[in-house]
Amino acid sequence: MQEAELHDLSDDADYAASQQEGSASMMRCYSSKLSTSSETEGAEIVYLKDNVAIHPTQYASERISGRLKLIKQGSTLFMTWIHYKGQSMNAKLSEKDRNLYTIRAVPFADVRSIRRHTPALGWQYIIVVLSSGLALPPLYFYNGGVREFLTTIKQHVFLVRSVEDTNVFLLNDFQNPLQRTLSSLELPRAVSIPSMPSTPVLARESTSHENQERTDVGVSDVSASIPQYNGRRRQKFHDPARDISIQVLEKFSFVTKFARETTSQLFRESHSNGFRPLERRKSNQSDVYSHKPSDDAEGVAVQSPVEFDKLSLVWGKPRQPPLGLEEWATFLDSEGRVVDSKALRKRIFYGGIEHKLRKEVWAILLGYHTYESTYAERKHQRSIKKIEYETIKSQWQSISPAQAKRFTKFRERKGLIEKDVVRTDKSLSFYDGDDNPNVNLLRDILLTYSFYNFDLGYCQGMSDLLSPILFVMEDESESFWCFVALMECLGPNFNRDQSGLHSQLFALSKLVELLDNPLHNYFKQNDCLNYFFCFRWMLIQFKRELEYEKTMRLWEVLWTHYLSEHIHLYVSVAILKRYRGKIIGEQMDFDTLLRFINELSGRIDLDATLRDAEALCICAGEKGADCIPPGTPPSLPVDNGLLYSQQDEVL
């Protein structure tokens, strides 16, 4: 195949997984199980393939090529991938950088599934999903060999093809293959695999019923869900690499110690170079400071790894009352255009918006209307977009029962949405009660969005993001388009490989290292550098951490993109700093920390946190900005066709 400079990965469902620098290095903990030397006593190479590559970026010229091996030692089969020494086409990556991708001796007892991809444009590749739900970077076979790879595995371990997806191969599936397919996997309890090395893996209760009750996961409270976990039936999922990852992160206290250790290893070993910005901007101000904690904050002052210029010390300004109707009018000209968008965004950043004004201003903040649009233009756009919305909505409304029987994706998404919306914000009168029309609107908007963005579809957590928008807009079409605008920024949070969430958690770890080195060192010593305890914060923007009104106030502050489009990361740092004394003083391990963070729900002082976040953002300066990888959500997307990794493939 003629190799193009830019390899189009837009139709590769998991291309983004290969962009997570260092993601394969988590497997180094396996290195003690088997030497990488082919001369290891009792080891036999049963498969060897050259020119198998990992793509750190979408550019084919920057691939890292290497050698893939299957090695049999005793009764155990291992997989290794080692890059070629001194032959990298990627001048941007050093030898040390490329070493981060090395896969050393992964035993197939710890592999859950292998998905084979054959894109219309490009090379065949595979995704190996571990029992913990974590996925290795895609391995691209430039010279073929996927069939032989799978055939060899089948000769040595129990491997079956999924009955629902012919490109998915299940390993160590000792139950009825017809009942246990890749699409039915969910976060399970840990068990040992019979006739295999005693490595803990994840298994789940099987089911053949399509409409059985699904466990409330994704953004549910971990501590609250623990007693109910083993006693409830589960719904099938068709995206294990996405859905298992969501559940592994959210219900992390169930995951084996191995999964936590290997993922922590990923963050430890990628800190030196992981997610580096493409360009480093030169700082023209001092980057380092000592942050005096708020009066009610616990802990001691920050001891930053670098000294901050005292002249750069800027504390968060007092919060202001919300923007009201009269003041709003001063920002508009006679035809309704926003005269000074920066001044408006600054005003909202410091005070938020009165509720009766939110409907008008949120549409602008979210980008549904532009700052330059007039009253007349906004009215015209609403009428045009309403027609467009109804057209999209009619696509799923016109599906007959007979067609639905043959449309698995539609049935599953509809079922998931219907189960989620009836649980969304039931404590709010706006959504309370049986057959609530607003709940029906939530369902209709989410179903329509799943057709509007079919690649992304529907994922748990989206109903939480839509709920406040519908509550404010009170119009189906306008709520839909505002939700579309929000998902343009937050959509990567729901990628199958969780690349959007991983990039945010990585950036958070770097910011804590910069702004609170003692806390960073504590997390490092206690294997908490993956920051998975902050997963829910990132996924739904603190929706479950604050009261409903405070959630709306925070969101409109974040949407201003004033100071930074990633102010939510500084909010996270501010919360962690505030409770640093308690975290360290009580010697919290990962499980205790996860419970503690979840128990903060409803107890966060939003105004104080925003003041601290502002101070942290300003004083971190360019050094803080450099900690955040380009494109990290909620960055505005680049329209290059690579916004989302596909969530469901039409087979």
Side-chain angles (χ1 to χ4, degrees), residues 193-306:
I193 293 185
S195 306
M196 287 285 183
S198 57
T199 304
V201 299
L202 299 177
R204 65 157 299 230
E205 302 169 13
S206 62
T207 174
S208 59
H209 300 290
E210 214 171 285
N211 296 319
Q212 68 185 97
E213 182 181 358
R214 177 173 53 87
T215 303
D216 184 8
V217 295
V219 290
S220 59
D221 183 87
V222 172
S223 59
S225 65
I226 289 176
Q228 306 172 358
Y229 179 73
N230 287 327
R232 300 178 64 178
R233 299 161 68 191
R234 296 157 175 74
Q235 171 73 13
K236 291 184 179 181
F237 290 99
H238 270 276
D239 248 336
R242 177 191 68 206
D243 293 320
I244 291 180
S245 184
I246 289 177
Q247 299 169 50
V248 166
L249 297 176
E250 179 60 23
K251 295 178 177 288
F252 211 76
S253 59
F254 290 111
V255 180
T256 60
K257 185 173 184 290
F258 158 74
R260 294 202 296 271
E261 290 175 347
T262 54
T263 311
S264 295
Q265 183 78 359
L266 182 159
F267 279 83
R268 285 198 297 270
E269 298 193 7
S270 63
H271 268 202
S272 62
N273 73 313
F275 296 107
R276 292 177 304 178
L278 298 178
E279 295 181 354
R280 294 287 186 180
R281 291 167 287 181
K282 294 183 179 180
S283 175
N284 56 8
Q285 67 181 61
S286 181
D287 296 313
V288 193
Y289 79 113
S290 272
H291 181 170
K292 177 182 177 182
S294 304
D295 294 338
D296 56 347
E298 301 185 48
V300 295
V302 171
Q303 299 174 3
S304 181
V306 284

Side-chain angles (χ1 to χ4, degrees), residues 398-518:
S398 63
I399 296 176
S400 66
Q403 184 184 2
K405 290 180 180 179
R406 297 164 178 82
F407 197 167
T408 304
K409 300 292 186 194
F410 172 70
R411 293 198 313 273
E412 289 175 346
R413 289 179 177 180
K414 186 172 183 290
L416 288 176
I417 290 170
E418 288 176 343
K419 287 183 173 66
D420 278 353
V421 295
V422 297
R423 294 189 293 243
T424 301
D425 295 323
K426 298 301 290 182
S427 61
L428 199 68
S429 60
F430 188 78
Y431 294 112
D432 192 21
D434 296 332
D435 199 25
N436 187 307
N438 296 316
V439 173
N440 294 334
L441 287 179
L442 272 180
R443 178 203 59 205
D444 289 357
I445 293 171
L446 291 170
L447 265 172
T448 305
Y449 182 78
S450 75
F451 272 72
Y452 173 81
N453 188 348
F454 198 83
D455 285 346
L456 188 61
Y458 175 77
C459 309
Q460 292 170 320
M462 288 185 181
S463 62
D464 279 278
L465 294 175
L466 174 60
S467 170
I469 293 177
L470 179 59
F471 178 77
V472 167
M473 304 306 293
E474 296 183 315
D475 178 88
E476 185 175 356
S477 172
E478 291 183 56
S479 298
F480 172 80
W481 291 113
C482 286
F483 180 70
V484 166
L486 179 62
M487 292 303 295
E488 288 295 293
C489 298
L490 296 181
N493 279 0
F494 301 94
N495 279 352
R496 171 186 297 157
D497 64 340
Q498 298 293 305
S499 56
L501 287 168
H502 279 298
S503 64
Q504 291 173 83
L505 294 174
F506 178 84
L508 177 58
S509 72
K510 301 299 288 184
L511 288 174
V512 172
E513 182 178 12
L514 173 70
L515 298 168
D516 195 335
N517 200 242

